[in-house]
Amino acid sequence: MKSSNEQKQVFWFTLINYLGILIGIGSTIFIYPNDKEFLGMVRYVDAIAQLMFPILLFGAGQSLIYFYPLVNEENQKKLFKYAIKSILVISVSLALLLILGNYIVVLENYHFVFYAFPLALIIALIELFKRQAINLQKLSVPTLLEKIIPKISFPIIFLMFLAGYLNVIDGLKLFIASYFIIIVLLALYVFKYYKVNSDFNFKSLFTQIDKKEYYRYSFYAFLGSFGSFLAFRLDVLMIPEFLSFEANGTYSIGVALVSVIGIPALGLFSIYAPMISEHLKNNAINELGKKYIETAKLLFFVGAILYGAIVLGIDSLFMLLPTYDKLVETIPVIMILGANVLFNMGTGFSSEIISYSKYYRVNIMLLFVLVFLNIFLNLYVLTQTDYGIEGVAWASLIAMVLFNTIKLYFIQKKFKILPFDKGYLKLFWIVFVVGLGLYFLPKTQNSLIDLILKSGLFCVLNVFIVYKFKLIYSLNYWIEKVLRMK
């Protein structure tokens, strides 16, 4: 990452996300364990919204990135407006189907879809405006709005619920309202830098790009997004149906605490999306391969540092908290899902390479292989075993390892590039040996000292050794920049 602008974007994206995560962690360990059932209900509604929003977006976000470099400035604006129009048209159709379904479908929890639908519409618009912000290289403020507002609003709603000022329905309504605030502020921000007119004639747009190709790509992008939910978020829908909302709340706490590991990947993948698309269109595979290795090493290192610190210190951290008894049952879920996130980060932007290449259909096929594995494994552990939410976590890990391995094989066959080199191998052994040594370090009688000794020392030693060996460009770049400021 030698571009100064890219460095700044990644830095601010990561900083804002971690600020949101820190707020979220505080809420997760101090507030949410006090009513796991309510937490499970909110996460259930959110999961339904996440299932709906790819339908409403129908690939418009990825199409905006994919076709943006191919059209002139006037048609770039029309491409953005056409995406907004598509979302609104599809929303009306889906709303009518949901109302009709209310008279046909007999499900105990069906009424939750009417809270999820407006949330899904708002999330779809947020995603689209974020994609436009990426094209403008203005990702920091949208990230701030999206990551910080829910992290502040939901704990407030939760505390009001615990205090008896809100019932479940009022809590859900306020949760949705917080997202409405995000889209209003996000739209104002994007339109400040990107002026669009009221011309909704799209004839010139589809003379510059083929309309069939636009819809074809959008359809496959939709399948990818929809498949991603089924692959990565389906467990949050299945747990309440087979176990309970309380179990869903416990699992959600684990997911929330593990999410700290994957934040850098979100920033890099978002910022690098236009670059990946451009390199593939220009057939600059060698340059893409270098970025592939560089980002994979960076993401593996950051992920391994965070995961290692969690593995070594999570029990000591929870021992310091008054909610220990309610949090301890999440530890196995955190360990397993953390490994899942780390493995995904360590393989770099594999999905993005396939998605923005001529082989984008393959990504859909692979996603649905993952969906099949995830559904099959989840159904098995939920109906045939007593493993509960720990079994769900193992199912996700197994499916993810197989999924990423197949992607790596495909990319190596088609592009002759992999996200690994000798430096990556050295990096792996450094992290592993340091972690193993500290794992067997004897415990003291003080949980705080154990936390500092094991997790703190793990982070410091790894950063120092990797910096000295110059294995990661970005790490040396920022450390040397800080040292020069002194």
Side-chain angles (χ1 to χ4, degrees):
M1 290 184 298
K2 298 178 176 57
S3 163
S4 176
N5 187 47
E6 287 174 357
Q7 292 283 351
K8 289 177 180 177
Q9 287 289 312
V10 171
F11 173 78
W12 284 111
F13 185 97
T14 304
L15 183 66
I16 291 165
N17 272 280
Y18 274 115
L19 176 60
I21 285 292
L22 286 174
I23 297 170
I25 287 175
S27 304
T28 300
I29 61 180
F30 289 111
I31 300 174
Y32 301 155
N34 292 300
D35 196 314
K36 292 180 182 178
E37 185 176 15
F38 178 59
L39 176 64
M41 286 183 182
V42 174
R43 295 307 182 207
Y44 182 67
V45 169
D46 182 64
I48 298 173
Q50 296 293 336
L51 178 65
M52 289 183 187
F53 108 84
I55 300 172
L56 302 181
L57 194 61
F58 204 76
Q62 278 186 275
S63 292
L64 186 62
I65 295 285
Y66 184 84
F67 291 102
Y68 204 79
L70 304 179
V71 297
N72 59 34
E73 185 176 349
E74 179 187 352
N75 284 330
Q76 285 175 346
K77 294 180 178 180
K78 289 190 175 183
L79 189 64
F80 178 50
K81 288 187 289 185
Y82 190 78
I84 295 174
K85 176 189 173 184
S86 299
I87 290 173
L88 296 177
V89 170
I90 295 171
S91 297
V92 173
S93 302
L94 182 58
L96 293 173
L97 285 174
L98 293 176
I99 293 169
L100 180 63
N102 192 42
Y103 298 98
I104 301 173
V105 178
V106 182
L107 288 174
E108 182 182 354
N109 295 321
Y110 189 82
H111 62 282
F112 283 115
V113 302
F114 295 105
Y115 298 98
F117 173 76
L119 182 60
L121 174 56
I122 295 168
I123 293 173
L125 290 170
I126 289 172
E127 180 65 20
L128 181 66
F129 276 81
K130 270 178 54 188
R131 296 279 180 164
Q132 183 56 43
I134 291 171
N135 282 328
L136 299 174
Q137 292 293 299
K138 300 285 184 182
L139 192 57
S140 300
V141 172
T143 303
L144 180 66
L145 296 173
E146 184 191 23
K147 300 300 179 182
I148 302 301
I149 290 178
K151 293 295 190 298
I152 295 173
S153 61
F154 187 43
I156 294 173
I157 294 167
F158 210 99
L159 288 171
M160 291 174 68
F161 174 80
L162 292 175
Y165 293 112
L166 298 173
N167 57 32
V168 171
I169 300 304
D170 291 335
L172 289 173
K173 289 177 180 177
L174 282 178
F175 180 70
I176 297 165
S178 67
Y179 278 84
F180 181 75
I181 293 171
I182 296 172
I183 188 57
V184 170
L185 295 176
L186 181 55
L188 290 173
Y189 178 78
V190 170
F191 288 136
K192 176 183 175 181
Y193 292 98
Y194 199 67
K195 306 296 183 184
V196 294
N197 55 37
S198 57
D199 179 13
F200 283 85
N201 185 337
F202 301 107
K203 185 176 181 180
S204 64
L205 171 64
F206 292 113
T207 56
Q208 199 164 10
I209 59 175
D210 183 66
K211 197 169 188 177
K212 288 183 179 179
E213 179 60 22
Y214 175 85
Y215 279 115
R216 187 181 299 114
Y217 184 83
S218 295
F219 176 68
Y220 279 101
F222 152 71
L223 288 179
S225 298
F226 192 70
S228 292
F229 172 85
L230 295 176
F232 306 120
R233 298 290 302 276
L234 186 64
D235 42 12
V236 185
L237 279 179
M238 295 181 73
I239 291 171
E241 299 299 332
F242 290 93
L243 299 176
S244 66
F245 280 117
E246 185 176 354
N248 201 36
T250 301
Y251 189 83
S252 296
I253 289 171
V255 171
L257 293 175
V258 162
S259 64
V260 66
I261 301 172
I263 293 301
L266 297 175
L268 281 175
F269 293 164
S270 296
I271 290 164
Y272 270 84
M275 178 276 294
I276 296 167
S277 180
E278 183 178 352
H279 279 348
L280 287 167
K281 286 176 175 57
N282 295 332
N283 202 32
I285 304 301
N286 288 336
E287 184 62 28
L288 180 63
K290 292 175 184 177
K291 292 287 185 183
Y292 193 23
I293 293 171
E294 184 181 306
T295 54
K297 283 197 297 186
L298 173 61
L299 290 174
F300 171 76
F301 178 68
V302 174
I305 289 289
L306 295 171
Y307 180 63
I310 289 171
V311 170
L312 292 169
I314 191 69
D315 189 64
S316 298
L317 174 63
F318 285 175
M319 287 287 288
L320 297 169
L321 303 173
T323 50
Y324 176 80
D325 292 339
K326 297 175 182 177
L327 288 169
V328 68
E329 61 187 334
T330 66
I331 291 178
V333 173
I334 291 169
M335 299 293 191
I336 300 164
L337 291 180
N340 189 341
V341 175
L342 177 59
F343 189 84
N344 191 46
M345 290 174 68
T347 56
F349 45 66
S350 302
S351 291
E352 284 70 19
I353 290 176
I354 300 173
S355 292
Y356 292 112
S357 74
K358 63 182 180 180
Y359 303 109
Y360 59 85
R361 296 175 182 84
V362 173
N363 213 33
I364 312 305
M365 294 168 58
L366 294 178
L367 263 177
F368 279 93
V369 169
L370 178 58
V371 169
F372 172 78
L373 286 171
N374 214 13
I375 293 174
F376 172 77
L377 291 171
N378 272 287
L379 283 174
Y380 176 78
V381 298
L382 288 170
T383 61
Q384 304 299 317
T385 75
D386 296 322
Y387 295 144
I389 56 175
E390 188 175 337
V392 172
W394 275 114
S396 296
L397 175 60
I398 294 168
M400 180 59 70
V401 169
L402 291 172
F403 174 62
N404 277 295
T405 302
I406 295 170
K407 282 194 298 182
L408 290 174
Y409 176 79
F410 180 83
I411 290 172
Q412 197 280 328
K413 283 294 182 183
K414 297 298 181 182
F415 299 100
K416 309 301 180 187
I417 56 176
L418 281 173
F420 313 118
D421 61 3
K422 292 181 180 178
Y424 198 119
L425 186 61
K426 292 178 184 177
L427 191 64
F428 172 82
W429 282 111
I430 289 169
V431 173
F432 179 77
V433 171
V434 171
L436 193 64
L438 290 172
Y439 180 80
F440 290 105
L441 191 71
K443 284 189 175 184
T444 69
Q445 298 299 313
N446 188 304
S447 295
L448 180 59
I449 292 174
D450 288 336
L451 178 63
I452 294 171
L453 277 178
K454 291 199 171 187
S455 295
L457 200 55
F458 176 79
C459 296
V460 171
L461 285 176
N462 275 294
V463 169
F464 178 77
I465 296 170
V466 172
Y467 170 73
K468 286 298 182 181
F469 278 93
K470 298 182 178 179
L471 293 176
I472 298 175
Y473 170 80
S474 297
L475 180 68
N476 286 72
Y477 173 91
W478 283 108
I479 290 178
E480 289 166 9
K481 188 171 183 176
V482 170
L483 292 174
R484 285 196 299 268
M485 291 171 64
K486 293 185 176 180

